Amino acid sequence: MKYRKFSDLGWNVSEVGLGCWQIGWSWGDIVSERDARELLKKAVDKGINFFDTSDTYGDGRSEKFLAELIKSTSEKIHVTTKLGRRIRGTNYPRGYKQEPMEEFIDRSLMNLGVDCIDLLQLHCPPSEIISKKETFEMMDEIVKKGKIVNYGVSVHKISDAMEAIQNPNVKSIQMVFNIFRQRPAEVFFKEAKKRNVAIIVRGPLASGLLAGKIHKETKFAENDHRNYNINGEAFDVGDTFSGVNFEKGLEAVEELKRLVPDNFSLSELALKWILMHDAVSVVIPGAVNKSQVQMNANVPDLENISYLLPKINSIYDELIKPEVHNRW
Ligand SMILES: NC(=O)c1ccc[n+]([C@@H]2O[C@H](COP(=O)([O-])OP(=O)(O)OC[C@H]3O[C@@H](n4cnc5c(N)ncnc54)[C@H](OP(=O)(O)O)[C@@H]3O)[C@@H](O)[C@H]2O)c1
């Protein structure tokens, strides 16, 4: 494993972290308790020290597994949770107001079994919440109360990320960035670097599409967002297959497979591509079992693939860019 610095927090975070949505729900058959514990243990054994979760993942199930991990390991690990989304329906922006937010924090402190949260991320607030100074004044207030130490923002759109980092105490931005979502590198990364804001990359495998094993006939279970959110019915479609049209995505995957070096898999190529951007602090692929964790954790040790960039870019330019580039 290799490590990078994370904003000005003095943390050395593993280049590959772990996304823990998968040990909550939304990915078909629920990951069993045994598999969840095994994959978390594997992560720590492989040197992963950064774990991303949310109070909404399995309604706290994911956070509770992380509580067990925090208790059981002697390694220094960083667990970040995302809050704000517990209110359902059109009234959900109320979740980013002080009273509900403090209630969410208290609940997550219980779930995680800790006295204070090292990094709380606002969980994809709507743009009008991000553009209000009061949102961040409220977060500063909450920091003073001692239940959280730092905060960041998870966003859907680059414009929201740009807006959020105008606030000096925003330490991190979480966003989708992958071979199928390249615009953040063009317009956001240098701004984040300038302000020393950490970048947490989610959706690195475009929900598994960039792992290369999904094909036209693949059927996703009803409770898998790759089925029920295929058109953005439940949440932003940009978080399902990275917002890429399924057939177009498969076409691009076939092209990418032709480029994969002998000692790589497509998922490794996809993660390595992300890590070649030094503005990225940590990439957080999700995993449903320990072998996926193991494979993903090996990526920092693979050689650089910069010689493939022109070919990767031309696949993106031809098949993906026209429909996604300016959407998020
Ligand atoms: N709004 C937000 O803030 C937000 C939204 C989405 C995600 N996130 C965070 O980001 C994390 C990761 O992003 P993501 O969940 O969207 O998806 P992702 O990391 O792009 O894809 C994860 C999926 O890819 C497959 N996979 C992973 N490693 C693999 C490997 N080595 N070989 C083959 N297949 C592999 C697994 O699915 P299968 O094996 O079932 O195909 C896994 O569930 C989440 O866990 C969560 O913490 C945050």
Side-chain angles (χ1 to χ4, degrees):
M1 183 52 68
K2 292 185 175 133
Y3 297 84
R4 296 187 182 187
K5 74 179 189 53
F6 192 95
S7 184
D8 60 359
L9 304 193
W11 299 357
N12 278 320
V13 297
S14 48
E15 289 190 344
V16 175
L18 183 70
C20 295
W21 182 13
Q22 283 70 4
I23 55 170
W25 57 24
S26 314
W27 292 83
D29 282 348
I30 199 152
V31 173
S32 71
E33 290 186 10
R34 187 182 155 171
D35 286 351
R37 289 178 183 126
E38 272 184 6
L39 74 81
L40 288 171
K41 181 174 181 310
K42 175 63 71 182
V44 174
D45 290 348
K46 294 293 293 179
I48 289 177
N49 69 4
F50 189 90
F51 298 82
D52 175 82
T53 186
S54 162
D55 59 354
T56 54
Y57 297 165
D59 197 24
R61 183 177 191 256
S62 173
E63 289 183 327
K64 287 176 189 164
F65 283 123
L66 285 162
E68 291 180 9
L69 184 70
I70 293 168
K71 228 186 216 162
S72 67
T73 185
S74 54
E75 298 296 329
K76 173 70 195 149
I77 59 170
H78 305 285
V79 174
T80 173
T81 193
K82 302 188 293 297
L83 308 183
R85 288 238 155 204
R86 289 189 60 72
I87 298 173
R88 296 277 153 204
T90 52
N91 206 15
Y92 86 97
R94 215 175 57 76
Y96 304 94
K97 301 277 179 225
Q98 185 143 358
E99 207 185 308
M101 184 56 70
E102 290 202 40
E103 277 170 27
F104 301 158
I105 291 171
D106 288 341
R107 185 173 176 274
S108 286
L109 288 172
M110 294 262 285
N111 285 344
L112 291 166
V114 293
D115 297 329
C116 129
I117 295 166
D118 287 344
L119 178 71
L120 180 155
Q121 298 169 78
L122 295 175
H123 198 168
C124 291
S127 304
E128 68 268 19
I129 296 287
I130 296 180
S131 62
K132 274 195 192 123
K133 261 202 153 27
E134 294 79 20
T135 302
F136 300 95
E137 286 166 1
M138 169 194 91
M139 294 308 291
D140 290 337
E141 242 343 272
I142 297 178
V143 169
K144 278 188 205 142
K145 293 188 178 179
K147 290 177 181 174
I148 68 172
V149 187
N150 303 289
Y151 61 85
V153 189
S154 183
V155 299
H156 289 305
K157 294 184 291 189
I158 294 174
S159 53
D160 288 340
M162 288 290 203
E163 192 75 52
I165 64 171
Q166 305 308 316
N167 299 280
N169 294 331
V170 168
K171 299 293 180 189
S172 64
I173 291 292
Q174 181 180 141
M175 60 189 353
V176 178
F177 176 60
N178 59 46
I179 290 179
F180 289 168
R181 182 78 72 85
Q182 300 199 10
R183 191 161 165 258
E186 245 175 49
V187 295
F188 179 68
F189 285 7
K190 61 175 182 304
E191 292 304 318
K193 246 181 134 174
K194 208 159 58 185
R195 293 174 170 80
N196 202 9
V197 172
I199 295 177
I200 303 168
V201 168
R202 75 165 180 268
L205 299 174
S207 315
L209 201 52
L210 282 166
K213 64 182 194 287
I214 294 172
H215 48 82
K216 235 184 182 150
E217 281 74 41
T218 304
K219 292 268 172 279
F220 297 102
E222 263 179 43
N223 58 353
D224 190 322
H225 72 100
R226 293 171 294 185
N227 175 339
Y228 69 77
N229 196 49
I230 191 77
N231 298 308
E233 295 89 338
F235 50 82
D236 192 295
V237 72
D239 278 311
T240 297
F241 297 132
S242 211
V244 169
N245 168 276
F246 186 58
E247 269 86 33
K248 257 295 189 275
L250 287 175
E251 208 183 313
V253 163
E254 285 313 304
E255 295 294 318
L256 287 168
K257 279 182 181 171
R258 290 184 228 275
L259 305 180
V260 178
D262 285 346
N263 57 333
F264 274 71
S265 66
L266 182 58
S267 62
E268 289 167 337
L269 177 111
L271 295 176
K272 194 71 195 180
W273 181 89
I274 292 165
L275 289 175
M276 281 165 45
H277 296 82
D278 64 358
V280 169
S281 311
V282 54
V283 56
I284 51 163
V288 294
N289 55 49
K290 64 178 177 185
S291 52
Q292 290 183 349
V293 172
Q294 166 142 350
M295 214 170 155
N296 299 340
N298 287 339
V299 171
D301 295 327
L302 293 170
E303 73 262 18
N304 213 305
I305 45 151
S306 28
Y307 65 98
L308 289 174
L309 292 187
K311 287 187 173 156
I312 292 174
N313 289 347
S314 74
I315 295 170
Y316 173 74
D317 288 347
E318 191 194 332
L319 295 169
I320 307 293
K321 191 173 184 178
E323 279 169 45
V324 306
H325 200 68
N326 292 314
R327 237 175 121 189
W328 285 277

